[in-house]
Amino acid sequence: MPGDVVTMDKIVALCKRRGFVFPSSEIYGGLGSTYDYGHYGVLLKQNVKGEWWRAMVQDRDDIVALDSAILQHPKVWEASGHLAGFTDPLVDCRTCTQRFRADHLGDLQCPRKPSKPPGQGPDCDLTDARDFNLMFETHVGPVKESASVAYLRPETAQGIFINFKNVLSFARKKPPFGIAQVGKSFRNEITPGNFVFRTREFEQMEMEFFVPPGEAQQWFEYWQQARYDWYVELGIRPDHLVLRAHEADELSHYSSGTSDIEYRFPIGWSELEGVANRGDFDLKAHAEHSGEKLEYFDQATGERYVPHVIEPAAGADRAALAFLVDAYDEEEVAGEQRTVLRLHPRLAPVKAAVLPLVRKDGQPEIAREIVAALRPILAVEYDEGGSIGKRYRRQDEIGTPWGITVDHQTLEDRTVTLRDRDSLAQERLAIDELPGVLARRLAAPWRSPKLGAA
Ligand code: GAP
């Protein structure tokens, strides 16, 4: 297998070319660092979220789902500490009028002299750093006054804490148990960038796991490992994934311990997901600000306590980007270059493409019949446009693991060829065997071919 050929530019180009992700508002010149997901991008991100829901809720009986509102009472953000402390240090340049994160200056470029960081160009004139709150402010109702101020949520987690009591009263759970949520969050990042890695509008996949205080450390360790394993099971190469414990001076105000799962992106090792031990910070803060008791009473033992919280917090866009980067490959086949996304079949936007060799002789009709038979069990696409080689290339670039070709022989014996995206092996199978064979292969454990032979 060739070495790593992937760059962020190649990922951006492939995403545009194959309709995964487009720059947003493009016909109006774009709006910095916002993106729209096209057909295959939607399907890929949907599969990432689907696998997260499967691992977090469907495969367990100690976690329940929630979908809280994006707009919440402003007191939520007072209690959580976001109003006072969710800030980044900001500097302005009086010359070019651009704004920069004061703590990232070394990684940034002066717009007038890109070989230098901001502040070191000949004309740079930076202000002192000041705190900039990352929450997007808006107004609820028709009157813009201070009483109507609200915020777009900067994380999904708080929606879970403020529903702790509701969930406890209906879900018939006792600690340890968790509440999982997937949804949009908004942060007015000073320097977003690197494609969908850091944007101002993004989707999070967060789970708050409420535990008896004495079990917090054990569950913290459990969730670090479980979340690391989730990425590996879905094909991320283990040598591109690391668990890194935060130093004391990196910890958020609520955290008594955090480990980041970092992925080796083309921009370097960067956070993919954080797993934090939030202690009793959030439930106590919301109890204090709301006047509600947010605790657990164990009727069996007569014990009353505020559960501690372990939080695995992932980003759906960032995870999708990591899966794309890890899957991207190029190789030469019969003298021709091919680009291929070696995605785990469960993540692939399309699982099987059905391709009639020619657009006549009854082949399209049989191909359509196969599509109809497969559609109830997996995502399948019919494609009859262009040469067969071009159609394979297209499916390779969107990561379709299996190609089913209908040819002259199909009309005689109702067999087709089944092409494997990674090995390029072709086998001849009876049409009736396809649903069973593909369902079994989709459910089987998978190992990235980029790792070489086991
Ligand atoms: N509730 C804890 C929390 O929000 P975080 O580390 O700030 O923790 C969790 O965010 C995850 O959300 C990150 O690991 C990342 O995957 C994703 N994320 C955060 N900010 C993002 C941004 N501006 N753009 C894309 N994804 C982001």
Side-chain angles (χ1 to χ4, degrees):
M1 286 289 155
D4 246 342
V5 290
V6 64
T7 63
M8 208 61 118
D9 285 347
K10 287 183 185 178
I11 294 291
V12 174
L14 180 126
C15 282
K16 178 105 200 272
R17 186 165 75 244
R18 294 301 179 193
F20 281 80
V21 181
F22 310 109
S24 186
S25 313
E26 211 177 0
I27 59 167
Y28 290 103
L31 176 70
S33 292
T34 54
Y35 294 93
D36 298 336
Y37 283 74
H39 182 66
Y40 296 122
V42 172
L43 297 181
L44 171 66
K45 191 148 68 118
Q46 201 62 34
N47 291 342
V48 171
K49 292 185 284 183
E51 289 300 328
W52 189 90
W53 279 119
R54 182 212 294 261
M56 287 302 192
V57 176
Q58 191 181 318
D59 286 354
R60 321 178 50 106
D61 52 22
D62 56 356
I63 302 182
V64 295
L66 180 78
D67 187 359
S68 72
I70 287 173
L71 294 173
Q72 295 164 20
H73 197 289
K75 275 198 158 177
V76 170
W77 309 111
E78 202 180 305
S80 69
H82 282 83
L83 260 180
F86 195 54
T87 56
D88 278 337
L90 168 82
V91 291
D92 294 82
C93 178
R94 296 185 187 92
T95 311
C96 68
T97 69
Q98 296 290 303
R99 293 174 157 183
F100 310 98
R101 255 183 81 165
D103 54 340
H104 285 184
L105 286 180
D107 305 329
L108 302 172
Q109 292 178 329
C110 164
R112 293 194 163 194
K113 186 137 178 81
S115 60
K116 300 271 184 196
Q120 294 188 20
D123 306 321
C124 294
D125 182 12
L126 299 187
T127 60
D128 288 340
R130 63 182 193 284
D131 283 341
F132 172 76
N133 195 297
L134 300 186
M135 284 199 294
F136 277 101
E137 200 178 294
T138 185
H139 290 266
V140 172
V143 185
K144 275 195 175 179
E145 56 184 9
S146 58
S148 67
V149 165
Y151 303 91
L152 302 188
R153 68 179 175 200
E155 62 172 18
T156 56
Q158 298 303 323
I160 296 178
F161 298 127
I162 60 175
N163 276 288
F164 173 76
K165 214 174 156 183
N166 286 335
V167 174
L168 203 59
S169 61
F170 93 87
R172 295 162 65 231
K173 299 279 179 223
K174 56 179 282 192
F177 80 99
I179 306 177
Q181 166 154 239
V182 173
K184 286 240 168 155
S185 292
F186 303 82
R187 296 182 189 176
N188 200 357
E189 303 276 2
I190 300 168
T191 40
N194 288 313
F195 196 37
V196 295
F197 180 84
R198 190 183 306 284
T199 50
R200 296 192 171 103
E201 175 181 346
F202 53 95
E203 272 187 284
Q204 289 189 305
M205 310 184 287
E206 296 198 290
M207 194 276 292
E208 310 300 323
F209 202 68
F210 300 91
V211 303
E215 295 179 20
Q217 183 58 26
Q218 142 199 353
W219 283 108
F220 180 43
E221 282 158 29
Y222 169 89
W223 280 110
Q224 289 176 56
Q225 192 60 47
R227 293 304 304 148
Y228 179 94
D229 292 347
W230 184 79
Y231 291 101
V232 172
E233 197 205 315
L234 288 173
I236 297 273
R237 291 162 294 166
D239 60 348
H240 280 58
L241 205 59
V242 79
L243 259 170
R244 187 185 67 80
H246 277 206
E247 304 289 340
D249 62 352
E250 281 180 273
L251 292 176
S252 311
H253 59 283
Y254 53 75
S255 169
S256 55
T258 297
S259 281
D260 283 346
I261 300 174
E262 294 189 341
Y263 177 70
R264 195 170 165 189
F265 285 97
I267 51 169
W269 287 98
S270 309
E271 176 188 337
L272 192 51
E273 166 161 357
V275 183
N277 180 349
R278 299 181 71 120
D280 56 9
F281 177 88
D282 304 275
L283 289 182
K284 275 197 169 153
H286 285 300
E288 202 178 291
H289 282 76
S290 67
E292 289 281 345
K293 270 194 182 142
L294 300 178
E295 53 190 24
Y296 177 70
F297 177 62
D298 191 335
Q299 284 179 337
T301 63
E303 197 190 354
R304 186 182 292 280
Y305 62 86
V306 177
H308 283 209
V309 172
I310 308 302
E311 173 198 68
D317 309 82
R318 211 176 270 187
L321 179 62
F323 287 119
L324 279 175
V325 165
D326 212 69
Y328 185 96
D329 209 354
E330 291 169 356
E331 67 178 359
E332 208 180 289
V333 179
E336 269 189 48
Q337 187 78 6
R338 79 162 179 151
T339 299
V340 52
L341 285 185
R342 304 189 191 277
L343 285 167
H344 190 299
R346 293 212 306 263
L347 293 179
V350 176
K351 315 299 182 200
V354 184
L355 318 166
L357 196 59
V358 292
R359 228 184 303 176
K360 56 182 185 179
D361 301 338
Q363 290 185 20
E365 288 75 12
I366 298 199
R368 293 260 183 217
E369 208 187 285
I370 295 171
V371 167
L374 291 179
R375 191 151 270 161
I377 48 170
L378 40 75
V380 59
E381 189 173 278
Y382 174 81
D383 186 4
E384 61 172 25
S387 75
I388 191 74
K390 267 206 176 131
R391 281 181 275 163
Y392 282 150
R393 292 296 96 92
R394 187 174 162 275
Q395 295 297 335
D396 287 344
E397 288 204 1
I398 62 167
T400 306
W402 300 295
I404 298 160
T405 310
V406 171
D407 55 20
H408 311 292
Q409 196 181 325
T410 311
L411 299 153
E412 289 160 19
D413 62 6
R414 288 190 64 82
T415 63
V416 289
T417 57
L418 181 62
R419 171 189 183 266
D420 183 279
R421 172 197 70 198
D422 297 319
S423 67
L424 294 176
Q426 304 224 13
E427 58 192 305
R428 196 97 207 159
L429 280 182
I431 290 174
D432 293 347
E433 288 181 90
L434 282 172
V437 167
L438 292 182
R440 271 196 301 284
R441 289 191 190 175
L442 191 57
W446 187 83
R447 176 185 155 86
S448 170
K450 288 173 88 177
L451 284 168

